[in-house]
Amino acid sequence: MSIELNHTIVAATDRKASARFLADILGLEAGPEYGPFIPVEIPNGVTLDYMESGGPITPQHYAFLVSEDEFDAIFGRIEERGLAYWADPYHHRAGEINTNDGGRGVYWEDPNGHNLEILTRPYGSGG
């Protein structure tokens, strides 16, 4: 049996703006409205389905494994927008990237307070 994550729902105050934010930063497209969702499909087939929340949003963490070239492009868009970023998930090392496991990683927030991350090496992969 093959088990794969297919999609997850991401709570947002404005689903269209939030989906567009992630898609623009990652260099992807926000899909057309599908019921109450605005999907952003990640190249490995997993979809983040943005849905408006009727109440407070509990921030979640979403991490994306990217190539070195993709990291440069995405990080460039983060800097171009003047977004705050950190080297750690606790946001103690502002304005830095990390070099965990011999790769690079960085965290930033979306408009809803979700903690987003890009990394070039999976955790524990050494290096």
Side-chain angles (χ1 to χ4, degrees):
M1 176 198 242
S2 175
I3 300 173
E4 298 178 2
L5 180 63
N6 177 263
H7 69 276
T8 190
I9 296 171
V10 180
T13 55
D14 180 332
R15 64 190 178 142
K16 289 180 184 176
S18 296
R20 193 169 37 251
F21 174 86
L22 179 68
D24 288 349
I25 292 290
L26 294 182
L28 303 172
E29 297 289 326
E33 185 175 331
Y34 182 76
F37 308 111
I38 302 293
V40 176
E41 185 174 348
I42 308 304
N44 67 347
V46 175
T47 304
L48 288 100
D49 294 334
Y50 282 83
M51 184 174 90
E52 289 183 14
S53 172
I57 294 175
T58 301
Q60 300 296 313
H61 174 68
Y62 300 96
F64 304 93
L65 184 62
V66 300
S67 70
E68 290 289 339
D69 289 341
E70 290 165 329
F71 184 96
D72 290 338
I74 294 166
F75 186 63
R77 289 188 283 272
I78 291 168
E79 287 187 305
E80 285 171 10
R81 288 177 175 231
L83 299 174
Y85 60 88
W86 301 268
D88 64 299
Y90 303 106
H91 299 181
H92 293 166
R93 294 174 49 202
E96 298 179 38
I97 63 171
N98 68 57
T99 55
N100 298 341
D101 292 298
R104 294 183 292 164
V106 69
Y107 298 79
W108 75 101
E109 289 185 351
D110 86 343
N112 303 287
H114 295 303
N115 198 23
L116 306 176
E117 175 187 10
I118 53 171
L119 65 160
T120 61
R121 297 282 305 264
Y123 290 122
S125 64

